[in-house]
Amino acid sequence: MLDFTIQNVLIAVRDDYATVDVQIVDGAIAAIAPNLQVIGTAIDGKNKLLLPGFFNAHTHSSEMWQRGIMSVFPLELWLAELYDFAPLDPEQVYLSALGTAVETLLSGGTSVVDHLVLIPGLELETIAIATRAYREVGIRAFIAPLIQDESLTAGMPSGESAQTHEPYFRTRAATLEIIEEAVRQFHRPDEGVNILVAPTGIQLCTDALFEGCIQLSDRYNLCRHSHLLETKAQEKLAQQKYGCTAVEHLKRIGFLSDRTTLAHCVWLNDADIAILAESESTVVHNPLSNLRLGSGIAPILKYRQAGVNVTFGCDGASSNDSQDLLEAIKIGSILHNVTDSDYQHWITPRQAVEMASLGGAKGLNIADKLGSLTVCKQADLVLYDLTNLSLLPRTDPIGLLVLGRPTNVVNSAWVNGKQIVADGKVTTINVDDLRQELFNRSQWETKRKSETVAQIEAHYRTVMGL
């Protein structure tokens, strides 16, 4: 880890900008002021904007292999089709984690929350492989192994007909044992790798699994992550299962807390929103997948007005179909200008940047360490090139970054003071080799509907009244 000083760099201050020097010592911000003495390596910050690194606060890295090919389906049918693909192998897990990290970094993210799909029978190996990939790139990783204890067909309301579901292939006890062992082996926050407890959601998890996750979270001081009410079908299912909303139920069993992040949160009512605010839970807004799958528009402006912390995620690369964090931030900001006619509630570019950085840190209970340009915080930083054509002419740099279509604008990035992007290129791995491997291990193809997907589709259309 090298000490360095970024000289003459633009930073945001209140409603304006200032040109300053920023000293980094032992991986942390040591000083921010004009005309500082150079400590360590001098880095030219002229015509560049320095921001804290953003959080890609919800994704599924392994979906990279299906991006661009998935049908235009709502989530429940999209999931059935996704499950219908050939299973992952360890090399695919490795390459897709590398690709997710690189795309996140080059769009302003220095941290990623990977709701990681596990290979059956190779669960710990899957986590180990993803951990290795993220360590090699150097991005800060929050690995949230995706777990459930009910089969896919249990994820939809039953409607008028009685439904029977195949038992899940792995026992709940075995699943929780895998997560606890993953914590022992891989949870190293000081080294940039964190394990989260991450039941996929109320639609495919029993209360017993949620409660087991809560116990692990409390025992090891782990953050919690889950999908929540992404679709109208899940809202119907919650009423069927619990006789109340999913949020009310999660409150009753104790899953909500200030270290709980909840992806999507599209179908919540005002009482649910009040519960999230009271519990200090965080909403991860995934606008692109919500639009791609027709899930709906999450009431983000209502969340913010109620005091709920909100941040952004790309979601998986076959429900988006990219890991461009700046795109998710842009759409996740301006989408809501049509949901509330009072423009004073609309999200400004500076608010969007704070949501993407400090909002992500709050959700992971590390706002004291990350998320802002503050002395003593860790140096997870991104330097943007303001001479790039997509950030010109010289008007408002943050306005252009959030509202424009910035491409190739990340000049440098550091995680914990270690530089992992320089001159617009990731320096820790060979990205050309990664591109070639991704190309070689895939092929042009079209997806055809299987009999299983057709059966699930027929039931879905019935229970949703289509």
Side-chain angles (χ1 to χ4, degrees):
M1 189 184 302
L2 298 175
D3 298 342
F4 58 96
T5 304
I6 307 173
Q7 296 183 291
N8 301 311
V9 71
L10 202 66
I11 65 168
V13 290
R14 295 186 182 176
D15 296 326
D16 202 353
Y17 295 93
T19 299
V20 298
D21 298 342
V22 180
Q23 291 176 346
I24 309 299
V25 178
D26 293 334
I29 300 171
I32 302 173
N35 304 314
L36 292 173
Q37 179 183 355
V38 172
I39 294 178
T41 304
I43 294 174
D44 185 7
K46 187 178 180 182
N47 297 323
K48 295 182 179 68
L49 172 70
L50 186 68
L51 291 176
F54 300 148
F55 286 74
N56 184 356
H58 176 72
T59 190
H60 308 278
S61 62
S62 61
E63 285 180 20
M64 177 172 285
W65 296 97
Q66 288 83 38
R67 65 181 179 182
I69 194 174
M70 298 295 291
S71 297
V72 181
F73 269 158
L75 175 75
E76 286 74 19
L77 305 184
W78 176 92
L79 270 176
E81 187 174 272
L82 185 70
Y83 275 54
D84 210 34
F85 272 93
L88 290 167
D89 64 46
E91 183 66 11
Q92 286 178 307
V93 171
Y94 173 69
L95 292 172
S96 55
L98 289 179
T100 296
V102 169
E103 287 190 276
T104 296
L105 281 166
L106 295 181
S107 56
T110 53
S111 293
V112 60
V113 178
D114 189 355
H115 208 175
L116 182 67
V117 177
L118 304 178
I119 300 174
L122 296 174
E123 292 88 354
L124 286 170
E125 183 177 350
T126 306
I127 299 168
I129 290 166
T131 298
R132 176 165 66 91
Y134 289 133
R135 280 183 177 274
E136 286 180 10
V137 176
I139 198 168
R140 196 178 295 274
F142 297 83
I143 298 174
L146 187 150
I147 55 173
Q148 64 193 73
D149 60 349
E150 294 188 300
S151 59
L152 181 63
T153 55
M156 281 194 290
S158 60
E160 306 247 338
S161 60
Q163 297 285 311
T164 57
H165 310 291
E166 291 291 323
Y168 194 60
F169 76 93
R170 189 176 56 230
T171 68
R172 184 182 312 117
T175 295
L176 292 170
E177 187 176 319
I178 287 166
I179 300 306
E180 186 161 21
E181 184 58 31
V183 174
R184 294 190 191 105
Q185 290 189 32
F186 308 114
H187 186 59
R188 302 289 184 272
D190 292 344
E191 299 172 18
V193 177
N194 303 261
I195 300 296
L196 281 60
V197 294
T200 186
I202 61 102
Q203 67 277 12
L204 294 174
C205 299
T206 64
D207 284 356
L209 184 63
F210 271 105
E211 288 160 358
C213 287
I214 293 166
Q215 291 167 11
L216 287 175
S217 171
D218 291 343
R219 187 179 308 148
Y220 295 102
N221 193 30
L222 307 174
C223 289
R224 308 166 185 179
H225 188 68
S226 187
H227 299 98
L228 179 62
L229 293 181
E230 185 173 353
T231 66
K232 186 68 174 175
Q234 291 175 9
E235 181 193 41
K236 287 175 175 283
L237 180 65
Q239 286 292 339
Q240 178 185 301
K241 287 177 73 170
Y242 312 126
C244 64
T245 72
V247 175
E248 288 177 297
H249 189 72
L250 290 180
K251 177 185 177 182
R252 287 176 190 168
I253 64 174
F255 188 75
L256 305 179
S257 77
D258 61 356
R259 50 200 169 109
T260 300
T261 50
L262 302 162
H264 301 290
C265 297
V266 177
W267 294 93
L268 275 63
N269 61 34
D270 290 347
D272 293 335
I273 295 170
I275 291 171
L276 292 190
E278 181 185 10
S279 66
E280 299 183 67
S281 299
T282 289
V283 170
V284 183
H285 188 24
N286 300 273
L288 289 156
S289 64
N290 291 345
L291 292 171
R292 162 82 154 88
L293 303 175
S295 300
I297 299 176
I300 297 303
L301 301 185
K302 280 188 172 184
Y303 294 142
R304 285 173 50 79
Q305 290 169 60
V308 176
N309 183 48
V310 180
T311 190
F312 298 101
C314 289
D315 207 358
S318 65
S319 64
N320 178 330
D321 296 35
S322 95
Q323 294 295 292
D324 187 333
L325 192 49
L326 286 170
E327 182 183 44
I329 294 166
K330 174 179 178 174
I331 300 300
S333 302
I334 65 175
L335 176 63
H336 306 284
N337 296 2
V338 300
T339 66
D340 189 333
S341 60
D342 189 346
Y343 55 86
Q344 293 185 339
H345 297 154
W346 295 356
I347 298 169
T348 69
R350 287 188 180 230
Q351 289 170 337
V353 163
E354 184 175 10
M355 290 164 66
S357 51
L358 189 59
K362 285 180 179 176
L364 294 162
N365 207 29
I366 48 174
D368 60 328
K369 298 183 175 74
L370 293 171
S372 63
L373 297 182
T374 304
V375 172
C376 294
K377 285 195 176 184
Q378 293 173 359
D380 286 21
L381 308 171
V382 178
L383 198 61
Y384 296 91
D385 180 6
L386 298 180
T387 69
N388 182 283
L389 184 61
S390 60
L391 293 182
L392 290 172
R394 289 190 292 173
T395 54
D396 178 359
I398 290 178
L400 282 164
L401 189 70
V402 172
L403 298 177
R405 184 62 181 92
T407 57
N408 304 318
V409 294
V410 172
N411 172 271
S412 302
W414 296 265
V415 173
N416 202 29
K418 178 183 177 182
Q419 187 164 20
I420 55 180
V421 177
D423 297 321
K425 299 183 185 307
V426 175
T427 60
T428 47
I429 64 167
N430 189 318
V431 177
D432 288 336
D433 286 350
L434 171 62
R435 278 200 295 262
Q436 192 63 52
E437 284 293 321
L438 287 168
F439 184 85
N440 291 343
R441 288 184 58 87
S442 55
Q443 60 183 5
W444 314 124
E445 57 181 313
T446 55
K447 181 66 181 169
R448 290 176 173 80
K449 190 183 298 182
S450 72
E451 183 178 342
T452 301
V453 173
Q455 290 172 348
I456 292 174
E457 182 177 11
H459 176 69
Y460 177 86
R461 292 187 66 81
T462 298
V463 299
M464 297 305 293
L466 300 174

